[in-house]
């Protein structure tokens, strides 16, 4: 699977975002080392605290299906019903969740299908919390 194809899958997942409070829609597509893709979108709640980010939805769906080895994730986001333009980096909680299941060389693709920026988890989370 190409990086562009993965970004397009994240863009498609973004269309399913439930974000009536922030109006900020995010989609993610998580690629396993075996080539399976798990998608997620952000799902908000009026209480805000139970809100779950797209990245965590994708990871938790994959983990609940028995996956434990991941290669990369594509993340897109921005104001709902507005074309993508800028990279949408994951929040701190999502970065920490990624560090639970991935090594520092895990790849994050941010931007748009036509303007992809690639980072490693070590780039965006240099001091993760670990108990391993």
């Amino acid at each position: 699977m190409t990086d562009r194809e993965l970004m397009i899958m994240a863009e498609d997942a973004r269309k399913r975002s439930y974000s009536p409070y922030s109006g900020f829609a995010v989609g993610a597509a998580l690629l396993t080392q075996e080539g399976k893709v798990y998608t997620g979108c952000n799902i908000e709640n009026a209480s805000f605290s139970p809100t779950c980010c797209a990245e965590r939805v994708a990871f938790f769906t994959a983990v609940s299906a028995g996956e434990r080895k991941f290669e990369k994730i594509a993340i897109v986001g921005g104001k709902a019903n507005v074309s993508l333009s800028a990279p949408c980096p994951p929040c701190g909680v999502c970065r920490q969740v990624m560090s639970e299941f991935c090594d520092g060389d895990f790849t994050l693709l941010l931007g748009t299908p036509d303007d992809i920026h690639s980072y490693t988890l070590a780039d965006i989370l240099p001091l993760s919390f670990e108990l391993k």
Side-chain angles (χ1 to χ4, degrees):
M1 168 161 303
T2 68
D3 289 354
R4 187 173 195 288
E5 290 171 327
L6 198 61
M7 291 293 283
I8 289 170
M9 292 180 79
E11 192 173 35
D12 186 53
R14 179 180 179 244
K15 295 173 187 170
R16 297 186 295 273
S17 168
Y18 178 74
S19 48
Y21 307 105
S22 71
F24 196 85
V26 181
L30 176 63
L31 178 65
T32 69
Q33 289 181 358
E34 293 183 1
K36 294 179 188 175
V37 177
Y38 293 85
T39 61
C41 62
N42 60 319
I43 303 168
E44 294 182 348
N45 186 281
S47 176
F48 290 109
S49 178
T51 294
C52 194
C53 299
E55 301 91 313
R56 284 183 282 146
V57 170
F59 265 94
F60 295 164
T61 300
V63 170
S64 69
E67 301 290 346
R68 295 292 188 276
K69 296 181 179 179
F70 304 102
E71 186 175 325
K72 64 179 79 171
I73 190 168
I75 306 165
V76 298
K79 286 304 249 180
N81 303 315
V82 176
S83 295
L84 298 171
S85 61
C88 180
C91 73
V93 173
C94 288
R95 294 173 196 214
Q96 185 61 44
V97 167
M98 290 177 200
S99 76
E100 182 71 22
F101 298 102
C102 305
D103 293 329
D105 61 351
F106 176 73
T107 301
L108 293 88
L109 305 173
L110 310 177
T112 71
D114 297 318
D115 184 25
I116 301 171
H117 303 262
S118 181
Y119 303 90
T120 66
L121 185 56
D123 290 334
I124 68 162
L125 187 63
L127 297 171
S128 65
F129 176 80
E130 295 184 18
L131 291 177
K132 299 177 200 174

